[in-house]
mmCIF file of all heavy atoms in Angstrom:
data_model
loop_
_atom_site.group_PDB
_atom_site.id
_atom_site.type_symbol
_atom_site.label_atom_id
_atom_site.label_comp_id
_atom_site.label_asym_id
_atom_site.label_seq_id
_atom_site.Cartn_x
_atom_site.Cartn_y
_atom_site.Cartn_z
ATOM 1 N N GLY A 1300 -70.955 -84.197 15.151
ATOM 2 C CA GLY A 1300 -71.137 -84.331 13.706
ATOM 3 C C GLY A 1300 -72.553 -83.951 13.301
ATOM 4 O O GLY A 1300 -72.767 -83.241 12.329
ATOM 5 N N GLY A 1304 -73.736 -80.879 10.986
ATOM 6 C CA GLY A 1304 -74.595 -81.075 9.817
ATOM 7 C C GLY A 1304 -75.819 -80.168 9.876
ATOM 8 O O GLY A 1304 -76.194 -79.530 8.891
ATOM 9 N N VAL A 1310 -77.247 -72.760 7.606
ATOM 10 C CA VAL A 1310 -76.588 -71.477 7.318
ATOM 11 C C VAL A 1310 -77.041 -70.841 6.006
ATOM 12 O O VAL A 1310 -77.436 -69.691 6.006
ATOM 13 C CB VAL A 1310 -75.039 -71.610 7.412
ATOM 14 C CG1 VAL A 1310 -74.360 -70.398 6.805
ATOM 15 C CG2 VAL A 1310 -74.654 -71.723 8.883
ATOM 16 N N LYS A 1322 -83.956 -54.183 3.411
ATOM 17 C CA LYS A 1322 -84.745 -52.987 3.085
ATOM 18 C C LYS A 1322 -84.454 -52.628 1.644
ATOM 19 O O LYS A 1322 -83.339 -52.853 1.175
ATOM 20 C CB LYS A 1322 -84.246 -51.843 3.967
ATOM 21 C CG LYS A 1322 -85.182 -51.474 5.087
ATOM 22 C CD LYS A 1322 -84.826 -50.124 5.634
ATOM 23 C CE LYS A 1322 -83.943 -50.239 6.838
ATOM 24 N NZ LYS A 1322 -83.537 -48.943 7.364
ATOM 25 N N GLN A 1324 -82.986 -50.904 -1.352
ATOM 26 C CA GLN A 1324 -81.797 -50.059 -1.531
ATOM 27 C C GLN A 1324 -82.059 -49.198 -2.760
ATOM 28 O O GLN A 1324 -82.317 -49.737 -3.841
ATOM 29 C CB GLN A 1324 -80.561 -50.932 -1.769
ATOM 30 C CG GLN A 1324 -80.310 -51.947 -0.666
ATOM 31 C CD GLN A 1324 -79.791 -51.288 0.597
ATOM 32 O OE1 GLN A 1324 -78.756 -50.663 0.580
ATOM 33 N NE2 GLN A 1324 -80.534 -51.417 1.686
ATOM 34 N N VAL A 1325 -81.989 -47.901 -2.573
ATOM 35 C CA VAL A 1325 -82.439 -47.000 -3.635
ATOM 36 C C VAL A 1325 -81.310 -46.114 -4.149
ATOM 37 O O VAL A 1325 -80.531 -45.567 -3.374
ATOM 38 C CB VAL A 1325 -83.588 -46.114 -3.094
ATOM 39 C CG1 VAL A 1325 -83.925 -44.996 -4.068
ATOM 40 C CG2 VAL A 1325 -84.824 -46.961 -2.819
ATOM 41 N N CYS A 1340 -80.621 -46.044 -17.363
ATOM 42 C CA CYS A 1340 -81.231 -47.004 -16.422
ATOM 43 C C CYS A 1340 -81.493 -48.333 -17.122
ATOM 44 O O CYS A 1340 -81.265 -49.403 -16.542
ATOM 45 C CB CYS A 1340 -82.534 -46.433 -15.846
ATOM 46 S SG CYS A 1340 -82.253 -45.167 -14.598
ATOM 47 N N ILE A 1343 -78.303 -50.147 -17.243
ATOM 48 C CA ILE A 1343 -77.900 -50.642 -15.914
ATOM 49 C C ILE A 1343 -78.624 -51.953 -15.610
ATOM 50 O O ILE A 1343 -78.025 -52.925 -15.141
ATOM 51 C CB ILE A 1343 -78.199 -49.590 -14.821
ATOM 52 C CG1 ILE A 1343 -77.325 -48.337 -15.001
ATOM 53 C CG2 ILE A 1343 -77.979 -50.184 -13.416
ATOM 54 C CD1 ILE A 1343 -77.699 -47.163 -14.105
ATOM 55 N N ASP A 1356 -92.656 -42.279 -16.062
ATOM 56 C CA ASP A 1356 -93.401 -43.371 -16.719
ATOM 57 C C ASP A 1356 -94.596 -43.785 -15.867
ATOM 58 O O ASP A 1356 -95.693 -44.038 -16.387
ATOM 59 C CB ASP A 1356 -92.499 -44.596 -16.933
ATOM 60 C CG ASP A 1356 -91.495 -44.393 -18.073
ATOM 61 O OD1 ASP A 1356 -91.630 -43.397 -18.814
ATOM 62 O OD2 ASP A 1356 -90.572 -45.223 -18.195
ATOM 63 N N ASN A 1375 -102.145 -32.158 -17.207
ATOM 64 C CA ASN A 1375 -101.883 -30.710 -17.176
ATOM 65 C C ASN A 1375 -100.483 -30.416 -16.655
ATOM 66 O O ASN A 1375 -99.758 -29.595 -17.226
ATOM 67 C CB ASN A 1375 -102.903 -29.990 -16.281
ATOM 68 C CG ASN A 1375 -104.307 -30.083 -16.850
ATOM 69 O OD1 ASN A 1375 -104.489 -30.355 -18.040
ATOM 70 N ND2 ASN A 1375 -105.310 -29.886 -16.002
ATOM 71 N N ASN A 1390 -97.200 -42.526 -3.910
ATOM 72 C CA ASN A 1390 -98.032 -43.733 -3.855
ATOM 73 C C ASN A 1390 -97.734 -44.664 -5.017
ATOM 74 O O ASN A 1390 -97.692 -45.890 -4.846
ATOM 75 C CB ASN A 1390 -99.517 -43.365 -3.837
ATOM 76 C CG ASN A 1390 -99.945 -42.976 -2.442
ATOM 77 O OD1 ASN A 1390 -99.396 -43.476 -1.455
ATOM 78 N ND2 ASN A 1390 -100.905 -42.070 -2.334
ATOM 79 N N ASP A 1403 -90.729 -61.007 -6.154
ATOM 80 C CA ASP A 1403 -89.404 -61.588 -6.003
ATOM 81 C C ASP A 1403 -88.677 -60.848 -4.881
ATOM 82 O O ASP A 1403 -88.230 -59.714 -5.064
ATOM 83 C CB ASP A 1403 -88.641 -61.461 -7.341
ATOM 84 C CG ASP A 1403 -87.271 -62.110 -7.282
ATOM 85 O OD1 ASP A 1403 -86.837 -62.474 -6.174
ATOM 86 O OD2 ASP A 1403 -86.650 -62.268 -8.348
ATOM 87 N N LYS A 1406 -85.402 -58.908 -5.225
ATOM 88 C CA LYS A 1406 -85.317 -57.671 -6.020
ATOM 89 C C LYS A 1406 -85.557 -56.465 -5.114
ATOM 90 O O LYS A 1406 -86.651 -55.917 -5.066
ATOM 91 C CB LYS A 1406 -86.333 -57.714 -7.164
ATOM 92 C CG LYS A 1406 -85.945 -58.680 -8.258
ATOM 93 C CD LYS A 1406 -86.791 -58.454 -9.486
ATOM 94 C CE LYS A 1406 -86.030 -58.536 -10.793
ATOM 95 N NZ LYS A 1406 -84.950 -57.650 -10.990
ATOM 96 N N ASP A 1412 -85.943 -43.165 -11.037
ATOM 97 C CA ASP A 1412 -85.532 -42.250 -12.115
ATOM 98 C C ASP A 1412 -86.474 -41.037 -12.161
ATOM 99 O O ASP A 1412 -87.686 -41.191 -12.291
ATOM 100 C CB ASP A 1412 -85.550 -43.108 -13.407
ATOM 101 C CG ASP A 1412 -85.649 -42.329 -14.696
ATOM 102 O OD1 ASP A 1412 -85.605 -41.089 -14.692
ATOM 103 O OD2 ASP A 1412 -85.772 -43.000 -15.746
ATOM 104 N N GLY A 1430 -87.172 -44.788 7.159
ATOM 105 C CA GLY A 1430 -86.903 -46.074 7.816
ATOM 106 C C GLY A 1430 -87.290 -47.281 6.980
ATOM 107 O O GLY A 1430 -86.966 -48.404 7.326
ATOM 108 N N LYS A 1431 -87.980 -47.047 5.848
ATOM 109 C CA LYS A 1431 -88.450 -48.188 5.046
ATOM 110 C C LYS A 1431 -87.540 -48.476 3.861
ATOM 111 O O LYS A 1431 -87.668 -49.507 3.207
ATOM 112 C CB LYS A 1431 -89.874 -47.913 4.534
ATOM 113 C CG LYS A 1431 -90.912 -47.778 5.635
ATOM 114 C CD LYS A 1431 -92.333 -47.917 5.050
ATOM 115 C CE LYS A 1431 -93.385 -47.733 6.103
ATOM 116 N NZ LYS A 1431 -93.663 -46.311 6.360
ATOM 117 N N VAL A 1446 -78.141 -29.305 -25.177
ATOM 118 C CA VAL A 1446 -78.067 -30.720 -25.578
ATOM 119 C C VAL A 1446 -79.356 -31.422 -25.161
ATOM 120 O O VAL A 1446 -79.966 -32.173 -25.940
ATOM 121 C CB VAL A 1446 -76.828 -31.419 -24.941
ATOM 122 C CG1 VAL A 1446 -76.819 -32.903 -25.232
ATOM 123 C CG2 VAL A 1446 -75.541 -30.765 -25.422
ATOM 124 N N GLY A 1459 -94.423 -39.019 -29.353
ATOM 125 C CA GLY A 1459 -95.824 -38.804 -28.985
ATOM 126 C C GLY A 1459 -95.953 -38.211 -27.585
ATOM 127 O O GLY A 1459 -97.072 -38.057 -27.078
ATOM 128 N N ARG A 1460 -94.836 -37.858 -26.945
ATOM 129 C CA ARG A 1460 -94.929 -37.271 -25.602
ATOM 130 C C ARG A 1460 -95.433 -35.833 -25.698
ATOM 131 O O ARG A 1460 -94.945 -35.041 -26.492
ATOM 132 C CB ARG A 1460 -93.552 -37.329 -24.906
ATOM 133 C CG ARG A 1460 -93.400 -38.581 -24.064
ATOM 134 C CD ARG A 1460 -92.075 -38.699 -23.386
ATOM 135 N NE ARG A 1460 -91.788 -37.623 -22.443
ATOM 136 C CZ ARG A 1460 -90.881 -37.703 -21.478
ATOM 137 N NH1 ARG A 1460 -90.197 -38.821 -21.319
ATOM 138 N NH2 ARG A 1460 -90.652 -36.684 -20.686
ATOM 139 N N PRO A 1481 -81.530 -27.581 -6.826
ATOM 140 C CA PRO A 1481 -81.299 -27.431 -5.374
ATOM 141 C C PRO A 1481 -81.357 -28.753 -4.606
ATOM 142 O O PRO A 1481 -80.660 -28.924 -3.603
ATOM 143 C CB PRO A 1481 -82.435 -26.494 -4.924
ATOM 144 C CG PRO A 1481 -82.808 -25.741 -6.155
ATOM 145 C CD PRO A 1481 -82.608 -26.687 -7.298
ATOM 146 N N LEU A 1485 -78.364 -30.261 -2.434
ATOM 147 C CA LEU A 1485 -78.560 -30.696 -1.040
ATOM 148 C C LEU A 1485 -77.877 -32.049 -0.793
ATOM 149 O O LEU A 1485 -77.160 -32.235 0.194
ATOM 150 C CB LEU A 1485 -80.067 -30.814 -0.790
ATOM 151 C CG LEU A 1485 -80.541 -30.848 0.628
ATOM 152 C CD1 LEU A 1485 -80.401 -29.461 1.248
ATOM 153 C CD2 LEU A 1485 -82.027 -31.259 0.673
ATOM 154 N N LYS A 1491 -73.384 -37.270 -1.265
ATOM 155 C CA LYS A 1491 -74.155 -38.411 -1.779
ATOM 156 C C LYS A 1491 -74.423 -38.340 -3.282
ATOM 157 O O LYS A 1491 -75.314 -39.030 -3.777
ATOM 158 C CB LYS A 1491 -75.487 -38.512 -1.029
ATOM 159 C CG LYS A 1491 -75.321 -39.142 0.349
ATOM 160 C CD LYS A 1491 -76.648 -39.603 0.886
ATOM 161 C CE LYS A 1491 -76.559 -40.996 1.460
ATOM 162 N NZ LYS A 1491 -77.850 -41.562 1.786
ATOM 163 N N PHE A 1505 -72.178 -44.640 -20.289
ATOM 164 C CA PHE A 1505 -72.385 -45.890 -19.548
ATOM 165 C C PHE A 1505 -71.074 -46.421 -18.947
ATOM 166 O O PHE A 1505 -71.098 -47.024 -17.871
ATOM 167 C CB PHE A 1505 -73.050 -46.950 -20.434
ATOM 168 C CG PHE A 1505 -73.462 -48.175 -19.668
ATOM 169 C CD1 PHE A 1505 -74.352 -48.065 -18.594
ATOM 170 C CD2 PHE A 1505 -72.971 -49.425 -19.977
ATOM 171 C CE1 PHE A 1505 -74.732 -49.181 -17.855
ATOM 172 C CE2 PHE A 1505 -73.348 -50.549 -19.247
ATOM 173 C CZ PHE A 1505 -74.224 -50.416 -18.183
#
Side-chain angles (χ1 to χ4, degrees):
V1310 167
K1322 254 197 264 178
Q1324 304 287 300
V1325 170
C1340 284
I1343 294 171
D1356 286 350
N1375 295 341
N1390 279 329
D1403 183 350
K1406 288 193 139 301
D1412 159 6
K1431 297 196 182 82
V1446 174
R1460 267 179 62 160
L1485 197 72
K1491 282 197 134 190
F1505 188 59

